[in-house]
Amino acid sequence: MKKFTSVSDVENLQQIIKKALQIKENPLSEPEKGKGKTIGLVFLNSSLRTRLSSQIAAQNIGLNVLTLNAAQEAWNLEFADGAVMNGDTVEHIKDAIEVLNQYCDIIAVRCFAGMKNKEDDVNESILSQFEQYAKVPVISLESATRHPLQSLADCITITENWKENRKPKVVLTWAPHIKPIAQAVGNSFAEWMQEMDVDFIITNPEGYDLDKNFTKDVKVIHDQNEALKDADFIYVKNWSSFDDYATMPEVKENWMLTNEKLENTNQAKVMHCLPVRRNVELSDEVMDGENSIIYQQAKNRIFSAQAVFSEILDKMNSK
Amino acid sequence: MKKFTSVSDVENLQQIIKKALQIKENPLSEPEKGKGKTIGLVFLNSSLRTRLSSQIAAQNIGLNVLTLNAAQEAWNLEFADGAVMNGDTVEHIKDAIEVLNQYCDIIAVRCFAGMKNKEDDVNESILSQFEQYAKVPVISLESATRHPLQSLADCITITENWKENRKPKVVLTWAPHIKPIAQAVGNSFAEWMQEMDVDFIITNPEGYDLDKNFTKDVKVIHDQNEALKDADFIYVKNWSSFDDYATMPEVKENWMLTNEKLENTNQAKVMHCLPVRRNVELSDEVMDGENSIIYQQAKNRIFSAQAVFSEILDKMNSK
Amino acid sequence: MKKFTSVSDVENLQQIIKKALQIKENPLSEPEKGKGKTIGLVFLNSSLRTRLSSQIAAQNIGLNVLTLNAAQEAWNLEFADGAVMNGDTVEHIKDAIEVLNQYCDIIAVRCFAGMKNKEDDVNESILSQFEQYAKVPVISLESATRHPLQSLADCITITENWKENRKPKVVLTWAPHIKPIAQAVGNSFAEWMQEMDVDFIITNPEGYDLDKNFTKDVKVIHDQNEALKDADFIYVKNWSSFDDYATMPEVKENWMLTNEKLENTNQAKVMHCLPVRRNVELSDEVMDGENSIIYQQAKNRIFSAQAVFSEILDKMNSK
């Protein structure tokens, strides 16, 4: 693996899931693999799980870790190519990346969608610069349109929780929220599920269909109850409108996931990437109930990251 | 030791003080004890000494350290059980703790009193959730009503500085401040002194008596000069009113500790947990004078933390 | 080396440059040198390169690292001696330093010029307190008037890039900016160049002459074109007026470095400490062109720091 910013960077999904599960069995099995190498974790946005799980994964594998809260600890970054920097921005992202090239063997970056300019977000205005200017492997810690370390953890979690001899029905359901947030987790989960051996559908209100570039031919159902029927896994996540970008078209039905809605399912396991707004996206009873595998998902973020770091180090060490 | 949030978690105080002093002699005597284990240091509030001494202690003992400035680096936390999270809070403390359970072998947390709602503070509205939801040992890095790692360091410091064949007289004296701050250090010191072989009294102005649940039968004197007479140790600390919660009843006398006030003492050693407001709580001459053992106290924070980590690891490793 | 706050702390400049270049060849050649010792990196200001390169250098040499963003993570500091601390400041710098003495074997600090009071800045009102109160070696991570780790990296970079049998002509040129910033990098570069075997001149607009205490007898030319003629190295940097302190006297000519201006030079290598305001201080074409050795300079910050840490540890270990 040369970099990790989407599912297309994974050569063999089943193999990396298997590797992650082996790492979970024995997280300290390769304690020297990253020895003498440094990973830079660059946060342009808040992070709990990604921050901690990436650090643990790096430590487990012997990588030195540099964590940078870019906005608070370093300088206000300019992202526009050719900018005359006579305003508030102090350092161009190109220069920051080139400096990280000097200091790091792997660069991991979190750069959320700005939610202001659709084109900027669709084109990954920040991550694309990391991909363009970084001379070392780049790992996404969630970008404008994708969250691949989360999606890999999701695949690991589904694999762990499915032992039957048929494809599970996996439903990605939109959930309510109080402000417009990005489609990254939804897009990414849709992409990865298409690579998994599952029956995958999406349900969301009218006006909330995700970008077709990610969902492709996946069936989208606008009736949540119909969609959830016989589900084996339900992935709960809010996103704002893609078509009328970053808006929140009115939704009349109540899309919050409740125990009542689980009744029509095949005792579906409930997933969420966290953080979750309790009693808005899903009810306390679901969150704290037996169907939730949400914390297990969070734990698997360690092994998702460690499997990716390990494969990237393999590639580097084989040169 | 299963957890460490108050003196009642200590089985044998003299023994842990002895252990801490042995660690001080040779801080790197157990460099592998925490190997492969991770401590999460979660800060909901500012910290200098606690932050650095905990990191050093963890490193000395071979623990991996994850430090999280929760508010700035992660998400705005919700603390109310059952909340409909349609406001400013993004993640429920229950979920954050459950995720920390997945990532950490020990969780240490700093969660000051909010100073707005007496009941919330008295009931340790935040720490109590860590105690309830954490599945790994919890260590307090100062909570609403206690600061046990400080108090243990205080016991270590008094032990180091007392060689006579009689009980020392230890006086906890209130000091002036410019805004209402918590009673945690005062409460905690009072609790721990009751477990030490010392003569302990408290002096504070009328209206500033600490919570009886911590001070119990300890004598409280409202005349500072009388209280300080023949003192061997003076612990200086401000706190706001407990009865008229978080207010600052007017105080007419000058309670700042000065060299003049030390004259009536038995060349008392002066203690303070830091940070201290110079020339408000105590004078420069006291702070910089020969009676101060305040920096020694600060140093002992390392060994206080390391002794606690060590005992908790002993318990974990013996399972 | 007992401390490192200016060029005068270096006994033999050529020798430490040589050492840094050896470290660059093999950064992990002394992995245990700092074992069991702790360096505290205290940031009172933003930092990217200094923060990361110091951490890498410390890790390479086996030092434990404690990083403290003092303002955000700890307490608001008081700097005035004798202050009655009844205002916004919570901890006196003297006390913070004394606590760092208890926790660290080396203290490194970044404390920029306040740019409000000339006397405070000239007298290094903050760094001087570290030098006065620290009982362990102090390293400047850039202070009010100097940036010695940068200057040492600059010397390393010039050495790497000069193979001819004559002294190179090195020109420090002022560059435009949009707000008044400190003279530290300019002062420091001037000091260090006077210790190097180079022909060194400075060019800046009228009203922008640096403090004579740093530039001494170095020739200052107010015509940029004349100064750049036949230059081998050009160091680009803005600073505000020293005479009319922290102001920005009007400048009519365009001082931004462009490829056109490089034509009169001896294919000069271009240097800058970063962060740089593109198309204000220098043009994109210069920054991204073949003459720039700016990222190499950034990389050399690691070896500059590591050489200094190594020499300081040598001194400590020889006691």
Side-chain angles (χ1 to χ4, degrees):
Chain A
M1 192 183 287
K2 283 184 185 169
K3 65 182 183 75
F4 185 76
T5 62
S6 87
V7 71
S8 65
D9 295 312
V10 175
E11 283 170 37
N12 185 326
L13 178 53
Q14 286 307 315
Q15 194 177 302
I16 198 169
I17 292 170
K18 194 176 163 192
K19 175 169 197 146
L21 288 169
Q22 286 168 344
I23 290 169
K24 189 171 184 174
E25 286 296 308
N26 186 3
L28 299 177
S29 60
E30 304 178 309
E32 304 265 302
K33 192 172 218 174
K35 196 177 176 184
K37 293 200 170 65
T38 297
I39 187 168
L41 305 176
V42 180
F43 291 95
L44 301 177
N45 312 95
S46 292
S47 174
L48 172 60
R49 280 147 288 275
T50 300
R51 182 185 300 276
L52 300 186
S53 63
S54 301
Q55 287 182 66
I56 294 170
Q59 282 172 332
N60 284 348
I61 208 165
L63 280 167
N64 291 331
V65 182
L66 297 176
T67 300
L68 185 70
N69 297 308
Q72 302 99 304
E73 297 182 330
W75 306 102
N76 196 16
L77 292 169
E78 173 65 50
F79 298 106
D81 207 35
V84 177
M85 289 173 58
N86 58 3
D88 289 339
T89 58
V90 176
E91 176 145 44
H92 200 286
I93 186 70
K94 287 202 277 193
D95 297 325
I97 295 168
E98 197 51 76
V99 170
L100 292 169
N101 282 332
Q102 309 297 321
Y103 294 163
C104 302
D105 300 285
I106 303 172
I107 300 173
V109 60
R110 166 160 282 199
C111 48
F112 286 177
M115 305 301 288
K116 284 175 185 159
N117 180 311
K118 183 174 186 172
E119 204 182 346
D120 279 354
D121 291 347
V122 166
N123 293 333
E124 292 282 3
S125 62
I126 302 179
L127 182 66
S128 64
Q129 300 205 46
F130 277 85
E131 297 200 279
Q132 183 176 354
Y133 296 114
K135 292 168 183 158
V136 300
V138 171
I139 294 173
S140 165
L141 302 173
E142 185 171 346
S143 68
T145 66
R146 290 180 175 99
H147 193 357
L149 283 173
Q150 179 66 53
S151 300
L152 174 53
D154 299 336
C155 293
I156 295 166
T157 310
I158 289 172
T159 302
E160 276 184 317
N161 282 281
W162 191 250
K163 304 298 173 201
E164 293 192 36
N165 258 334
R166 60 172 177 88
K167 290 185 185 187
K169 177 178 176 182
V170 178
V171 183
L172 169 61
T173 180
W174 184 89
H177 206 280
I178 63 148
K179 61 177 186 180
I181 64 172
Q183 297 102 26
V185 170
N187 289 339
S188 201
F189 187 70
E191 270 193 337
W192 288 68
M193 283 305 107
Q194 291 170 70
E195 303 292 322
M196 289 279 283
D197 195 26
V198 300
D199 286 324
F200 178 59
I201 62 170
I202 301 171
T203 181
N204 56 250
E206 303 269 0
Y208 285 90
D209 286 5
L210 291 167
D211 184 352
K212 271 284 182 191
N213 283 309
F214 296 96
T215 59
K216 297 203 171 73
D217 295 328
V218 173
K219 194 171 171 186
V220 178
I221 298 176
H222 293 136
D223 178 328
Q224 192 188 33
N225 287 330
E226 183 193 334
L228 295 182
K229 195 163 182 313
D230 298 328
D232 297 299
F233 293 91
I234 302 173
Y235 202 99
V236 182
K237 183 75 186 86
N238 169 266
W239 56 85
S240 56
S241 178
F242 177 72
D243 288 337
D244 189 6
Y245 194 69
T247 66
M248 300 172 69
E250 193 187 352
V251 176
K252 289 188 179 154
E253 306 80 21
N254 184 358
W255 282 69
M256 180 170 79
L257 192 71
T258 58
N259 269 355
E260 192 187 342
K261 290 185 186 174
L262 291 182
E263 284 173 14
N264 268 332
T265 70
N266 183 28
Q267 298 186 301
K269 302 292 187 188
V270 178
M271 304 176 73
H272 191 288
C273 61
L274 298 178
V276 67
R277 285 177 175 256
R278 283 171 172 254
N279 302 312
V280 174
E281 296 179 73
L282 45 66
S283 63
D284 274 343
E285 59 184 7
V286 171
M287 190 69 199
D288 300 327
E290 288 189 358
N291 295 64
S292 167
I293 54 173
I294 291 172
Y295 303 129
Q296 183 181 341
Q297 257 180 292
K299 183 173 190 98
N300 284 335
R301 292 293 308 278
I302 300 172
F303 314 112
S304 157
Q306 194 168 336
V308 167
F309 298 170
S310 182
E311 293 229 339
I312 282 176
L313 287 167
D314 281 340
K315 190 82 183 178
M316 292 169 68
N317 293 337
S318 73
K319 277 178 189 165
Chain B
M1 192 183 288
K2 283 184 186 171
K3 66 182 183 75
F4 185 76
T5 62
S6 87
V7 71
S8 64
D9 295 312
V10 176
E11 283 170 39
N12 184 326
L13 177 55
Q14 285 308 313
Q15 194 178 303
I16 197 169
I17 292 170
K18 194 175 164 193
K19 174 168 199 146
L21 288 168
Q22 286 167 341
I23 290 170
K24 189 171 185 174
E25 286 295 309
N26 187 5
L28 300 177
S29 61
E30 303 178 309
E32 306 264 304
K33 192 173 218 173
K35 196 176 175 183
K37 293 201 171 63
T38 296
I39 185 168
L41 305 176
V42 180
F43 291 95
L44 302 177
N45 311 96
S46 291
S47 173
L48 172 60
R49 279 146 290 276
T50 300
R51 181 185 300 276
L52 299 186
S53 63
S54 301
Q55 287 183 65
I56 294 171
Q59 283 173 332
N60 283 348
I61 209 165
L63 279 168
N64 291 330
V65 182
L66 297 177
T67 300
L68 185 70
N69 297 309
Q72 302 99 305
E73 296 182 331
W75 307 101
N76 197 16
L77 292 168
E78 173 65 49
F79 297 105
D81 208 33
V84 176
M85 289 174 59
N86 58 3
D88 289 338
T89 57
V90 177
E91 177 145 43
H92 200 286
I93 187 69
K94 287 202 276 191
D95 297 323
I97 295 168
E98 197 50 76
V99 169
L100 291 169
N101 281 332
Q102 309 297 323
Y103 293 165
C104 303
D105 300 284
I106 303 172
I107 299 173
V109 61
R110 166 161 281 200
C111 48
F112 285 176
M115 305 300 288
K116 285 175 185 159
N117 180 311
K118 184 174 185 172
E119 203 181 347
D120 279 354
D121 291 347
V122 167
N123 293 334
E124 292 282 3
S125 62
I126 302 179
L127 183 67
S128 64
Q129 300 205 44
F130 277 85
E131 297 200 280
Q132 183 176 354
Y133 297 114
K135 292 168 182 159
V136 299
V138 170
I139 294 174
S140 165
L141 302 173
E142 185 173 344
S143 69
T145 66
R146 291 180 175 99
H147 192 357
L149 283 174
Q150 179 66 52
S151 300
L152 174 53
D154 299 338
C155 292
I156 296 165
T157 309
I158 289 171
T159 302
E160 276 184 317
N161 282 280
W162 190 249
K163 304 299 172 199
E164 293 192 36
N165 260 333
R166 61 172 177 88
K167 290 186 185 186
K169 177 177 177 183
V170 179
V171 183
L172 169 61
T173 180
W174 184 89
H177 206 282
I178 63 149
K179 60 177 186 182
I181 64 173
Q183 297 103 24
V185 170
N187 288 340
S188 201
F189 187 71
E191 271 193 336
W192 288 68
M193 282 305 108
Q194 292 171 70
E195 303 293 323
M196 289 279 282
D197 195 26
V198 300
D199 284 325
F200 177 59
I201 62 169
I202 301 172
T203 181
N204 55 251
E206 303 268 2
Y208 284 90
D209 287 5
L210 290 167
D211 183 353
K212 272 284 185 191
N213 283 310
F214 296 95
T215 59
K216 299 201 171 73
D217 295 329
V218 173
K219 195 170 171 188
V220 179
I221 299 176
H222 294 136
D223 178 329
Q224 191 188 33
N225 287 329
E226 182 193 334
L228 296 183
K229 198 164 179 315
D230 299 326
D232 297 299
F233 294 91
I234 302 173
Y235 202 98
V236 181
K237 185 73 187 88
N238 169 267
W239 56 84
S240 56
S241 176
F242 177 73
D243 287 337
D244 189 6
Y245 194 68
T247 66
M248 300 172 69
E250 194 187 354
V251 177
K252 288 191 180 151
E253 306 80 20
N254 184 356
W255 281 70
M256 179 170 79
L257 191 72
T258 58
N259 270 355
E260 193 187 342
K261 291 186 186 173
L262 292 182
E263 282 173 17
N264 268 336
T265 70
N266 183 27
Q267 298 184 301
K269 301 292 186 189
V270 177
M271 303 176 74
H272 191 287
C273 62
L274 298 177
V276 66
R277 287 179 174 253
R278 284 172 171 253
N279 302 310
V280 175
E281 296 178 75
L282 46 65
S283 63
D284 274 342
E285 59 184 8
V286 171
M287 190 69 199
D288 299 327
E290 289 188 357
N291 295 63
S292 166
I293 53 173
I294 292 172
Y295 302 129
Q296 183 182 342
Q297 257 180 291
K299 183 172 189 101
N300 285 336
R301 292 293 307 277
I302 300 171
F303 314 113
S304 156
Q306 194 168 336
V308 168
F309 298 170
S310 182
E311 293 229 339
I312 283 177
L313 286 167
D314 281 341
K315 191 82 183 177
M316 291 168 69
N317 293 336
S318 73
K319 276 179 191 166
Chain C
M1 190 184 288
K2 284 184 186 169
K3 68 182 183 74
F4 185 77
T5 62
S6 86
V7 71
S8 63
D9 296 312
V10 176
E11 284 170 37
N12 185 325
L13 178 54
Q14 285 308 313
Q15 195 179 302
I16 197 171
I17 292 171
K18 195 176 162 192
K19 175 169 197 146
L21 289 169
Q22 286 167 343
I23 291 170
K24 188 171 184 173
E25 286 296 308
N26 187 4
L28 299 177
S29 60
E30 304 179 307
E32 305 265 302
K33 192 172 218 173
K35 196 176 174 183
K37 293 201 169 63
T38 296
I39 186 168
L41 305 177
V42 181
F43 290 94
L44 301 177
N45 312 94
S46 291
S47 174
L48 173 60
R49 279 146 290 275
T50 300
R51 180 185 300 275
L52 300 186
S53 63
S54 301
Q55 287 183 65
I56 295 171
Q59 282 172 331
N60 284 347
I61 209 165
L63 279 167
N64 291 332
V65 182
L66 297 176
T67 300
L68 186 70
N69 298 309
Q72 302 99 304
E73 297 182 330
W75 307 100
N76 196 17
L77 292 168
E78 173 65 49
F79 297 105
D81 207 35
V84 176
M85 289 174 58
N86 59 3
D88 289 338
T89 58
V90 177
E91 176 144 44
H92 200 286
I93 186 70
K94 288 202 275 192
D95 297 324
I97 295 169
E98 197 52 76
V99 170
L100 291 168
N101 281 333
Q102 309 296 324
Y103 293 164
C104 303
D105 300 283
I106 304 173
I107 300 173
V109 61
R110 166 161 282 199
C111 48
F112 286 176
M115 305 300 288
K116 285 176 185 159
N117 181 312
K118 184 174 184 171
E119 204 182 347
D120 279 354
D121 291 347
V122 166
N123 293 334
E124 292 282 2
S125 61
I126 302 178
L127 182 66
S128 63
Q129 300 204 44
F130 278 84
E131 297 199 281
Q132 183 176 354
Y133 297 113
K135 291 168 183 160
V136 300
V138 171
I139 294 174
S140 164
L141 303 173
E142 186 173 347
S143 69
T145 67
R146 289 180 176 98
H147 192 357
L149 283 173
Q150 178 65 53
S151 300
L152 174 53
D154 300 337
C155 293
I156 295 165
T157 310
I158 288 171
T159 301
E160 277 184 315
N161 283 279
W162 190 249
K163 303 300 174 198
E164 293 191 36
N165 258 334
R166 61 172 177 87
K167 291 185 184 185
K169 178 179 175 182
V170 179
V171 183
L172 169 61
T173 182
W174 184 89
H177 207 281
I178 63 147
K179 61 177 185 179
I181 63 172
Q183 297 102 24
V185 170
N187 289 339
S188 201
F189 187 70
E191 271 193 336
W192 288 69
M193 283 304 109
Q194 291 170 71
E195 302 293 322
M196 289 279 282
D197 194 26
V198 300
D199 286 326
F200 178 58
I201 63 171
I202 301 172
T203 182
N204 57 250
E206 303 268 2
Y208 284 90
D209 287 5
L210 291 166
D211 184 352
K212 272 284 184 191
N213 283 310
F214 296 96
T215 59
K216 298 202 170 76
D217 295 328
V218 173
K219 196 170 170 187
V220 178
I221 298 176
H222 294 136
D223 178 329
Q224 190 188 34
N225 287 329
E226 183 193 335
L228 296 182
K229 198 164 179 312
D230 298 327
D232 297 299
F233 294 92
I234 301 173
Y235 202 100
V236 182
K237 184 74 187 86
N238 169 266
W239 57 85
S240 57
S241 178
F242 177 72
D243 287 338
D244 189 6
Y245 194 70
T247 66
M248 300 172 69
E250 193 188 354
V251 176
K252 288 189 178 152
E253 306 80 21
N254 184 355
W255 281 71
M256 179 171 79
L257 192 72
T258 59
N259 270 355
E260 193 187 341
K261 290 184 187 173
L262 291 183
E263 284 174 15
N264 269 333
T265 70
N266 183 29
Q267 298 184 300
K269 300 293 187 190
V270 177
M271 304 176 74
H272 190 287
C273 62
L274 298 176
V276 66
R277 286 179 173 253
R278 285 172 171 254
N279 303 310
V280 174
E281 295 179 75
L282 45 68
S283 62
D284 273 343
E285 58 183 8
V286 171
M287 189 69 199
D288 299 327
E290 289 189 356
N291 294 65
S292 166
I293 53 173
I294 291 172
Y295 302 129
Q296 184 181 341
Q297 259 180 288
K299 182 171 190 100
N300 284 334
R301 293 293 307 278
I302 301 170
F303 314 112
S304 157
Q306 195 169 335
V308 167
F309 298 171
S310 182
E311 293 229 339
I312 283 177
L313 287 167
D314 281 340
K315 191 82 183 177
M316 291 168 69
N317 293 336
S318 73
K319 275 177 192 167

